[in-house]
Amino acid sequence: MTHFSQMSSSRPELAKLQSEYQGLLDDLDGGASEDVVSRWDAVRRRVATWGSLAHVRFTLDTQDEEAKATKILVDELSPQIEALDARFKTALLSEAHRDELKETYGEHLGALWRSDLAAFDPAITEDLITESKLTNRYTELLAGAKLDFRGETLNLSSIPRHTLDPDRGTRREATQVKWAWLAEHGEELDEVFDELVKVRTLMARKLGYENYIELGYRRMQRVDYDSDDVSVFRSQVLAEVVPVVSQLRRLQAERLGVGSLKAWDMATYDAEGNPRPVGDHDWMMEQATEMFDELGPRFSSFFSMMRDSGLLRLKSREGKAGGGYCTFFPDFDVPFIFANFNGTAQDVKVFTHECGHAFQVWSSRSAPISDYLWPTYESAEIHSMSLEFLTWPYMEKFFADQADRFCWTHLAGALAFLPYGVAVDEFQHEIYANPDASPAERHSIWHDLERRYQPELDWDLLPYPAKGGRWQLQRHIYHRPFYYIDYTLAQTCALQFWLAARRDRDEAMTRYHALCGLGGTGPFQELVAAAGLRSPFAEGCLSDVLEEASEVLFG
Ligand code: ZN
């Protein structure tokens, strides 16, 4: 097994790739497609490995000039490669090959490719490069944040340790520092976003869409639901979840012993503060090893492979990009996990979450074609968010006698997340439906959504978010439009796994493994049904879980 530090992949040369593709297309014209598809897929895996390694190295150190230069190269080359892939997909979807393709890979592959083809044209190549440059600028800007707090210099990944402090005064002060930084950089972030909205709208119009919304859905490869379904789901959250969260907020204020909750209280659920893992990173890895060993042989071999091959980079440090993610290196058949541990309960959540993604893609690594390695995002988030819940029986390993308290706050946070998540989605629909809105109008759109979906949120002393600036810290809004509802759809499914595991853990785990094994072979609602879950678009999909969750939280 190759260690991460030894992994390398040679930079693809466009001219060479072009002739390689031409050769493949000629062979395709000459006869049977299956062998040609495998050879083409091998090229795609090689290029994807190079791109993933470059992305990982850039996010590990956004100040490393060489890593940055390679990342820029990937961004510039990607649309050219997409153009080559588009030609190949078009050829395979033509009458000559369509049936054979369907027979070998099933219906879903064609649906994915038709979506890809509807989202791309060589005419938008330059716009895609512009878009990448803007999102890189956003990443660097946020990664470079220096927050001075009580003599310490922190970044956006490490400050949550203080914004979640048990002491209310500390929470308030740290929260003020964080939003003061945003206020200072708000204008620049508005500019970056404005350019992103403009370039995305331009691409949509070049491709014949009225605005970016439909293109955004195509780029997310949503093949079995549309924005009307999503709107129905948002209404369900507003009608059914928001009142439960309001009840939760009242209880939270009581538990915190405060008259009314302020913004800096929202993520802290009782006066003792949220439980924290009782050891550092290295200790947590020991605990995690035990946990995965106990979860069974498949999880055990998965995790020892990840650990031994250096595929976990979890500590926060200066210059590292924010957030957490999981990616895959197809040529090495292994996933990679990136995170920014900051000593809060969030570390355990992010860790189990990303392990869920990694376990799924590792379970699917022998998929017959790379399009099936991962499902589309809303489905992929089911594996990750469900594993957060399915690891509850092992939380004592991280939180000792505070494990029950952790589970309580996790469940509370999962419900409280839903209204925020759908607000982020509705915001983006409004933004791209009105691409000419001014930055001030965009802030006011967010402000109104916040009032509707999170009526208890009181920014008090924080003028910048009080006027509607919070969305600027939500990186998905910049990086990947319309990727956010995915978390709420998946959370709705993950909560069903949570409920199922309370009733029959073995049965729930069997279904979880089976779902991971399906990888990306089907669209969202098909995978959901195969896992025995209710579609989030169905009326009443949340009622069972809300009933049980209310019992646990308020019972
Ligand atoms: Zn995820």
Side-chain angles (χ1 to χ4, degrees), residues 4 22 26 109 286:
F4 171 67
Q22 193 53 56
D26 292 344
L109 190 64
E286 295 305 321

Side-chain angles (χ1 to χ4, degrees), residues 70-89:
T70 312
K71 173 76 169 78
I72 290 171
L73 209 65
V74 174
D75 294 342
E76 283 173 357
L77 212 53
S78 294
Q80 319 268 9
I81 296 170
E82 206 173 334
L84 293 172
D85 283 332
R87 276 183 64 199
F88 208 81
K89 289 174 187 174

Side-chain angles (χ1 to χ4, degrees), residues 244-540:
V244 177
V245 175
S246 293
Q247 193 184 345
L248 174 67
R249 295 303 184 198
R250 287 192 291 276
L251 175 64
Q252 187 181 1
E254 230 171 82
R255 290 167 66 133
L256 286 171
V258 299
S260 70
L261 294 172
K262 302 293 180 193
W264 44 87
D265 300 321
M266 301 305 269
T268 302
Y269 287 94
D270 64 50
E272 285 173 72
N274 295 345
R276 291 182 164 176
V278 290
D280 62 8
H281 166 277
D282 295 353
W283 175 86
M284 278 174 66
M285 288 307 99
E286 295 305 321
Q287 304 305 303
T289 305
E290 274 183 34
M291 174 176 82
F292 284 114
D293 286 347
E294 288 171 33
L295 266 164
R298 285 177 58 77
F299 273 113
S300 176
S301 51
F302 153 75
F303 192 69
S304 56
M305 176 278 298
M306 294 295 287
R307 234 186 118 164
D308 298 345
S309 307
L311 296 162
L312 306 156
R313 291 295 174 99
L314 312 171
K315 293 181 191 169
S316 173
R317 64 181 187 82
E318 208 190 310
K320 190 170 169 179
Y325 67 79
C326 168
T327 188
F328 187 69
F329 306 132
D331 273 354
F332 299 96
D333 265 349
V334 292
F336 175 92
I337 294 179
F338 174 100
N340 279 282
F341 278 8
N342 56 28
T344 69
Q346 194 64 19
D347 295 352
V348 176
K349 275 188 59 195
V350 170
F351 176 71
T352 51
H353 180 103
E354 300 306 339
C355 281
H357 284 306
F359 181 70
Q360 176 270 307
V361 72
W362 184 75
S363 302
S364 310
R365 66 193 183 283
S366 35
I369 189 155
S370 43
D371 304 74
Y372 285 171
L373 281 169
W374 306 91
T376 44
Y377 287 98
E378 73 299 88
S379 309
E381 297 301 345
I382 304 176
H383 311 108
S384 54
M385 295 177 114
S386 300
L387 194 62
E388 294 178 39
F389 288 115
L390 295 171
T391 49
W392 270 21
Y394 305 96
M395 288 300 109
E396 267 173 39
K397 293 187 190 298
F398 300 97
F399 298 100
D401 60 351
Q402 301 298 304
D404 286 346
R405 233 158 46 80
F406 165 76
C407 295
W408 195 96
T409 59
H410 178 199
L411 181 64
L415 290 187
F417 168 73
L418 290 170
Y420 171 72
V422 300
V424 169
D425 180 65
E426 192 164 330
F427 176 70
Q428 298 185 81
H429 280 86
E430 293 218 21
I431 291 303
Y432 291 104
N434 304 287
D436 298 321
S438 68
E441 283 164 338
R442 290 185 184 130
H443 286 247
S444 133
I445 291 173
W446 176 260
H447 177 265
D448 292 348
L449 287 166
E450 212 167 59
R451 298 260 41 87
R452 185 142 47 96
Y453 285 103
Q454 297 182 284
E456 291 83 14
L457 184 51
D458 175 3
W459 291 105
D460 196 75
L461 304 171
L462 306 166
Y464 193 79
K467 285 197 201 134
R470 183 194 187 173
W471 61 273
Q472 291 182 304
L473 281 188
Q474 190 56 63
R475 67 190 76 246
H476 304 70
I477 295 177
Y478 283 77
H479 277 275
R480 205 172 262 275
F482 298 107
Y483 179 8
Y484 210 71
I485 197 68
D486 305 63
Y487 293 107
T488 63
L489 299 174
Q491 187 77 288
T492 303
C493 297
L495 284 164
Q496 295 180 60
F497 264 123
W498 167 75
L499 183 60
R502 288 170 71 79
R503 293 186 176 151
D504 184 345
R505 184 170 166 85
D506 288 345
E507 188 262 356
M509 288 310 291
T510 304
R511 282 200 273 144
Y512 179 78
H513 279 282
L515 181 65
C516 288
L518 286 174
T521 52
F524 176 54
Q525 296 191 78
E526 198 177 298
L527 292 172
V528 165
L533 306 170
R534 273 185 180 181
S535 165
F537 305 126
E539 183 100 14

Side-chain angles (χ1 to χ4, degrees), residues 139-158:
T139 302
E140 283 173 62
L141 196 63
L142 259 61
K146 287 191 172 40
L147 311 173
D148 294 318
F149 178 75
R150 297 182 180 171
E152 223 186 320
T153 304
L154 301 168
N155 59 31
L156 288 166
S157 301
S158 55

